[in-house]
């Protein structure tokens, strides 16, 4: 990887995983959306997986008590792992079609950005509606497919957590521990398929440093910005990025 590419990718990692620390998702989506403007998608995805493992592990070390284990083990994890297998196969089939992959990903980013902009977050004093378990399972399956292809299954997974009516702390930590699990599986697959190897160690070390800095940065942002304002700013930026990827 050229030094300029590594420097630019480090900046996108810092920003993307700071957002993921603050909201519980979005690290891979933002990083890949920005990096796809100058790098092939299939070259970026292998780096996102270990970076997400570092970020998720760091946050969960302090906040693991908030994880909603029952819906995670009964619905989210099984559905997402099934989708993950499908997504990995699709990524292999489409690896030589970067233009098609870029446009498909651009369309996905636009849909998720529009959804994020129009949805209303649940207020702390609002009565909790009944969970929509069937929709949550379908969204988790979709998240697995998208994660297998792009390592960015956060938006549909966040929608699944929203359907299960998880509150803020449970929402963030349940998403992060899900990412930790599926990315551990993906890391083994990437190494086994020679998409990530010893030659990638030097650039990966620099990117890990950026992801490590992103964690306290994300916590700082979470304390100072209203969640609704921060979320809408992120999705607005993703909408513009998604449109640019369709060119």
């Amino acid at each position: 990887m050229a030094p300029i590419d590594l420097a630019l990718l480090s900046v996108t990692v810092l920003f993307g995983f700071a957002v993921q620390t603050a909201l519980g998702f979005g690290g891979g989506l933002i990083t890949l959306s920005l990096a796809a403007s100058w790098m092939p998608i299939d070259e970026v995805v292998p780096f996102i997986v270990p970076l997400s493992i570092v970020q998720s592990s760091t946050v969960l070390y302090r906040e693991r008590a908030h994880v909603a284990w029952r819906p995670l083990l009964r619905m989210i994890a099984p559905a997402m792992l099934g989708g993950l297998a499908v997504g990995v196969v699709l990524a292999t089939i489409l690896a030589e079609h970067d233009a098609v992959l870029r446009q498909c990903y651009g369309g996905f980013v636009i849909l998720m950005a529009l959804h994020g902009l129009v949805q209303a977050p649940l207020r702390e004093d609002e009565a909790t509606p009944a969970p929509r378990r069937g929709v949550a399972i379908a969204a988790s399956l979709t998240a697995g497919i998208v994660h297998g292809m792009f390592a960015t299954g956060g938006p549909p997974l966040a929608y699944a957590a929203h359907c299960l009516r998880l509150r803020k702390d449970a929402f963030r930590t349940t998403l992060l521990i899900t990412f930790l699990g599926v990315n551990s599986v993906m890391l083994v697959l990437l190494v086994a398929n020679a998409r990530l190897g010893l030659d990638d160690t030097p650039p990966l070390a620099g990117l890990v440093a950026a992801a490590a800095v992103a964690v306290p940065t994300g916590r700082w942002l979470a304390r100072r910005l209203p969640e609704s304002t921060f979320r809408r700013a992120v999705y607005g930026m993703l909408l513009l990025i998604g449109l640019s990827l369709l060119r």
Side-chain angles (χ1 to χ4, degrees):
M1 184 183 299
I4 184 64
D5 289 336
L6 179 59
L8 291 173
L9 190 56
S10 296
V11 173
T12 64
V13 166
L14 175 58
F15 177 62
F17 285 95
V19 170
Q20 179 154 308
T21 300
L23 298 182
F25 72 103
L29 181 61
I30 293 173
T31 301
L32 186 56
S33 299
L34 291 170
S37 300
W38 77 88
M39 294 182 66
I41 287 177
D42 63 323
E43 290 184 15
V44 183
V45 169
F47 289 110
I48 291 176
V49 172
L51 294 176
S52 184
I53 291 174
V54 170
Q55 183 270 342
S56 299
S57 301
T58 304
V59 175
L60 286 167
Y61 178 75
R62 292 187 177 182
E63 303 183 37
R64 59 189 181 277
H66 299 294
V67 175
W69 288 105
R70 180 170 293 182
L72 171 67
L73 296 177
R74 290 187 176 184
M75 290 174 279
I76 294 175
M80 193 165 180
L81 286 173
L84 184 69
V86 176
V88 169
V89 173
L90 290 176
T92 302
I93 294 172
L94 297 174
E96 301 300 324
H97 304 279
D98 188 68
V100 175
L101 201 60
R102 184 186 301 267
Q103 291 182 349
C104 290
Y105 185 70
F108 169 73
V109 170
I110 290 171
L111 290 175
M112 292 299 101
L114 291 173
H115 175 266
L117 286 169
V118 300
Q119 73 174 351
L122 195 66
R123 300 190 307 271
E124 290 296 327
D125 60 348
E126 185 178 351
T128 304
R132 292 182 291 164
R133 293 181 176 84
V135 178
I137 292 172
S140 299
L141 180 65
T142 302
I145 295 172
V146 173
H147 204 82
M149 295 180 69
F150 307 117
T152 57
L157 184 61
Y159 185 67
H162 176 75
C163 290
L164 293 172
R165 311 308 180 193
L166 300 183
R167 291 291 185 175
K168 183 179 178 181
D169 289 339
F171 183 102
R172 290 174 60 251
T173 54
T174 302
L175 262 61
L176 288 175
I177 202 166
T178 304
F179 291 141
L180 181 59
V182 296
N183 282 325
S184 298
V185 174
M186 281 198 69
L187 182 61
V188 173
L189 295 175
L190 289 171
V191 173
N193 294 328
R195 294 184 65 192
L196 189 68
L198 292 177
D199 292 343
D200 299 310
T201 302
L204 183 58
L207 296 175
V208 166
V213 174
V215 173
T217 303
R219 287 188 172 128
W220 183 86
L221 287 171
R223 290 194 300 266
R224 285 162 176 78
L225 288 177
E227 182 179 344
S228 58
T229 302
F230 188 51
R231 188 184 297 271
R232 281 174 169 76
V234 169
Y235 280 118
M237 183 198 67
L238 287 176
L239 179 59
L240 295 176
I241 292 170
L243 290 170
S244 71
L245 292 173
L246 294 182
R247 293 181 301 175

